[in-house]
Amino acid sequence: MTQHSHGSRAHSADRTQRSHRTPWETDTLSGNQAFEREEFEKASVFYSSALHHARLAVAEAWNGRSGVAQMAAAIMVISTSNAARNALASDRPELIVQEFRAAIEIFLQALESTRAHEALQEACLQHLPKLISNIMTINSEMETSTPELIELAARGQTAAMQHWRSSAR
């Protein structure tokens, strides 16, 4: 009886922890579990949903919602990288390029737009090197190097340099 009671409390505590997770966290963790089980189609669904939540967070940060910019840029990098890694495991290189292109475009728009909130610009600038690093890492793990990925990384680096130069003035 004591074991059952202990198990119920543990189960209840686990449920409470899960209820405090954001939809992005839930989808990311579920995607990671599916990925580890090599259920790549299932992981793809969860990672796509996590990317959707990341894009919503970027939109909130774009509009100046207080305190979400750092988190938004970080989860965009994580979500994009998870989706790309899953596409690599699924042997779908076209999706790798598509996911990274979308993320780079979002970051570049934030950096180049005068309408984007300054906190989001700073967050994108801070997280852009990790996104570029992930692009190059995935590219090196592919059977054949993809020039489009190298071009995306170069575009990101160029945009960062231009932003740093203009903000130094």
Side-chain angles (χ1 to χ4, degrees):
M1 184 75 170
T2 307
Q3 275 187 330
H4 179 70
S5 175
H6 175 68
S8 295
R9 275 185 295 215
H11 183 67
S12 177
D14 186 45
R15 237 186 329 206
T16 302
Q17 270 186 334
R18 271 190 252 145
S19 68
H20 288 91
R21 290 184 183 147
T22 66
W24 176 84
E25 289 171 312
T26 300
D27 288 339
T28 299
L29 292 172
S30 297
N32 290 348
Q33 290 169 354
F35 183 85
E36 289 172 10
R37 291 188 307 265
E38 297 184 4
E39 297 172 351
F40 302 125
E41 286 300 315
K42 192 173 191 177
S44 179
V45 171
F46 287 116
Y47 289 149
S48 291
S49 182
L51 263 170
H52 171 74
H53 293 296
R55 288 180 182 124
L56 290 175
V58 169
E60 290 176 2
W62 184 286
N63 292 318
R65 182 168 170 223
S66 180
V68 299
Q70 281 296 326
M71 181 266 313
I75 68 172
M76 190 71 204
V77 171
I78 293 166
S79 297
T80 300
S81 300
N82 285 344
R85 184 152 309 284
N86 190 64
L88 179 63
S90 304
D91 195 30
R92 300 191 61 195
E94 71 284 356
L95 288 179
I96 298 168
V97 173
Q98 178 183 329
E99 299 298 359
F100 279 128
R101 180 182 299 119
I104 285 286
E105 289 299 326
I106 288 169
F107 275 51
L108 295 183
Q109 287 173 7
L111 289 173
E112 295 168 358
S113 176
T114 56
R115 294 179 312 156
H117 196 270
E118 186 178 332
L120 178 62
Q121 291 178 331
E122 291 172 13
C124 286
L125 198 57
Q126 179 182 348
H127 292 282
L128 187 58
K130 182 62 177 172
L131 180 60
I132 292 167
S133 173
N134 291 351
I135 290 171
M136 297 309 291
T137 298
I138 295 270
N139 188 59
S140 71
E141 294 173 5
M142 295 175 70
E143 287 183 26
T144 306
S145 181
T146 306
E148 289 174 276
L149 288 176
I150 295 169
E151 179 185 321
L152 286 172
R155 283 182 61 208
Q157 288 174 326
T158 300
M161 293 300 292
Q162 288 173 344
H163 190 79
W164 286 322
R165 283 187 196 129
S166 67
S167 63
R169 293 180 191 154

